[in-house]
Amino acid sequence: MPLEILSPAGSFEALTAAVRAGADAVYFGAGGFNARRNAKNLGDDELAAAMRYCRLRGVKTYVTVNTLVTDREMPAAKELVSQINTLGADGVIVQDLGMVRMMRALAPDLPLHGSTQMTVHSLGGVLAAHKLGLSRVVLSRELPIEEIRFICERSPIE
């Protein structure tokens, strides 16, 4: 599997800097459903521009929708996911299992990646994520390298 240089891009300026510096992919939040919602994020008008900018340069885009979503918030979350899917994101980084289910129904071909907020820290967790339809999982930061190696060698997903 080839190495992917993935960079955070909280603003359009950060996104362009990451792309110019050679990132293969960028991730950023949009809307209020990302763990860095109080930090600088792309606005609604910037989301489409960011996707176009990256697509023209062969850079993948992953959008973070990695917070827990309440029932009241679900209609707005569905609207955001529809927009992300329509714009052609390469994947969505997600935490909430209810959102995973909704995204699978709404956008079945949209790749889903388990966020570090999912707290996947074992091979069993990776296998469960795979069964839910995730194609990539960001393992818990606290894992020792030996455990990461063990999981990666046996994992059916990235």
Side-chain angles (χ1 to χ4, degrees), residues 18-81:
V19 171
R20 290 178 183 160
D24 300 307
V26 292
Y27 69 94
F28 47 83
F33 301 103
N34 67 85
R36 299 197 60 209
R37 65 178 153 207
N38 294 325
K40 177 95 169 120
N41 289 296
L42 296 177
D44 290 340
D45 54 331
E46 293 177 309
L47 182 58
M51 298 284 211
R52 271 193 310 277
Y53 181 86
C54 290
R55 192 172 300 112
L56 287 171
R57 289 157 180 82
V59 173
K60 292 182 179 180
T61 55
Y62 303 118
V63 183
T64 57
V65 182
N66 59 346
T67 60
L68 299 174
V69 179
T70 67
D71 291 343
R72 281 192 319 270
E73 295 172 322
M74 194 58 76
K78 284 182 181 180
E79 189 175 312
L80 177 61
V81 170

